[in-house]
Amino acid sequence: MRQKRKILIAVTGMSPQILTETVYALYTQQNWLPDEIFVLTTQTGYNNIVRNLLGEDGFFTRLCKDYNLPEIQFGERNIHVIHDAGGEKLSDIRTPEENNLAADMIVNFIRQQCADDKTELHVSIAGGRKSMGFYIGYALSLFGRPQDKLSHILVTEGFENNPLFFYPTHYDNYISKKPYDPNCTETINTREAKVMQAEIPFVRMSYGLPNLAQNNVSYSEAVQLLQNNLKADRIILNIKNCTIQLGQDKPIKIADKRYFFAYAALARFHLQNKSIKLINQA
């Protein structure tokens, strides 16, 4: 069986180092490396990534060289800047309108990536504004498959939010503990830093959204469609065809019969509730 293409997706803002920290943690703790990285960010975030991570002296390049990592596809074309309907790129996200633009772009990007069953996604919520982390996590809950994962990054005190720190080195490398304080002479060794990857369990709701994966929907539309499914007035379990139908939606085929009969067994306990109907039992 051909291995799925591994893709790391993250949102970033003023701290591009969450990308190097995430790759480092995945490699050293999970033995997992992406084939390609995609970033969703603002124009300011884009500038910070290009200036700090890319190029011969960029910290992403240094990370790959220091740990002898195989080639990972990550360049300027992999950075997607949030923009408005006219194509104007956002320098930051500060208004409700800009927040909605970020939500729609993030949700649809995850939707597109999940539509390709030949991929395996790892999504990080470590960077960007809090709303961006929420949206990308929620999007993965809407469209994520069994192979997809969600995580956050934890960094030891002194190194967290330090603009001079990008990943733990395997050699001595001293940086200022408080680079924003001109009177601080204390230094810390990046060799002693700890970066930990915390995997976040999430509910995969895509099986209840059979039509969303192929449609270009906004964040609010996706939420409303999900809400409509949750309020479906009936659930039809077709034992003969191994399908589940929520309300008026199209029947969903369950490939593995074991899962279907687990649903059917649960439904039998609730047959007194007329909102559940079993058909084609023969």
Side-chain angles (χ1 to χ4, degrees):
M1 181 182 295
R2 185 177 179 181
Q3 191 176 26
K4 295 183 183 298
R5 182 170 177 78
K6 298 176 181 178
I7 297 177
L8 172 63
I9 304 176
V11 288
T12 69
M14 300 299 292
S15 302
Q17 45 264 77
I18 70 101
L19 292 169
T20 46
E21 292 168 353
T22 300
V23 172
Y24 167 86
L26 288 172
Y27 173 64
T28 58
Q29 297 164 33
Q30 302 293 329
N31 194 30
W32 191 96
L33 275 175
D35 298 302
E36 187 167 14
I37 299 173
F38 288 109
V39 185
L40 304 170
T41 187
T42 59
Q43 184 62 51
T44 301
Y46 173 93
N47 295 339
N48 285 335
I49 292 172
V50 173
R51 181 171 58 250
N52 291 284
L53 300 188
L54 302 183
E56 278 299 313
D57 294 324
F59 281 96
F60 180 78
T61 305
R62 296 187 198 184
L63 170 68
C64 294
K65 289 181 178 178
D66 282 352
Y67 288 91
N68 196 29
L69 303 183
E71 182 179 356
I72 300 173
Q73 190 170 337
F74 180 49
E76 291 187 45
R77 75 170 194 85
N78 295 82
I79 309 171
H80 295 259
V81 179
I82 299 166
H83 56 81
D84 61 21
E88 185 71 23
K89 296 178 179 179
L90 305 186
S91 60
D92 199 355
I93 300 171
R94 294 187 178 276
T95 69
E97 292 75 19
E98 291 170 343
N99 201 61
N100 290 337
L101 289 170
D104 291 346
M105 178 175 172
I106 291 169
V107 167
N108 270 300
F109 186 84
I110 295 296
R111 175 190 61 79
Q112 292 164 5
Q113 295 298 319
C114 288
D116 182 0
D117 196 49
K118 296 178 182 179
T119 62
E120 172 185 334
L121 306 185
H122 192 108
V123 173
S124 171
I125 64 168
R129 292 197 174 273
K130 291 181 176 63
S131 58
M132 295 172 70
F134 171 82
Y135 290 136
I136 200 167
Y138 193 85
L140 193 64
S141 190
L142 284 174
F143 306 112
R145 296 81 47 89
Q147 66 265 34
D148 301 327
K149 293 184 178 181
L150 184 70
S151 75
H152 185 54
I153 287 296
L154 304 173
V155 182
T156 48
E157 186 179 0
F159 298 97
E160 184 180 16
N161 297 324
N162 188 320
L164 302 179
F165 175 73
F166 286 83
Y167 60 90
T169 55
H170 54 73
Y171 49 83
D172 290 332
N173 177 48
Y174 293 91
I175 61 175
S176 173
K177 186 174 183 178
K178 298 179 180 179
Y180 292 123
D181 183 355
N183 298 318
C184 179
T185 58
E186 187 178 359
T187 61
I188 48 179
N189 190 349
T190 59
R191 188 174 194 169
E192 298 174 356
K194 302 294 182 186
V195 174
M196 297 151 283
Q197 184 254 342
E199 188 171 327
I200 302 173
F202 65 96
V203 177
R204 292 166 173 81
M205 296 184 285
S206 58
Y207 298 108
L209 299 170
N211 300 319
L212 291 189
Q214 302 301 325
N215 295 332
N216 186 25
V217 296
S218 69
Y219 169 74
S220 57
E221 289 172 335
V223 171
Q224 187 59 55
L225 287 169
L226 173 61
Q227 193 64 41
N228 291 343
N229 273 334
L230 292 176
K231 295 191 297 185
D233 58 354
R234 63 175 182 168
I235 301 174
I236 299 177
L237 301 175
N238 188 314
I239 294 177
K240 181 178 180 180
N241 298 325
C242 288
T243 61
I244 296 177
Q245 182 177 352
L246 304 177
Q248 299 301 315
D249 283 345
K250 293 181 179 179
I252 306 169
K253 180 72 174 179
I254 305 299
D256 192 325
K257 290 186 178 181
R258 292 174 298 178
Y259 288 112
F260 176 82
F261 284 110
Y263 281 113
L266 289 173
R268 288 183 184 279
F269 286 109
H270 299 279
L271 279 176
Q272 68 273 18
N273 182 345
K274 294 182 180 180
S275 67
I276 296 180
K277 179 180 180 183
L278 290 174
I279 64 172
N280 291 343
Q281 299 184 48

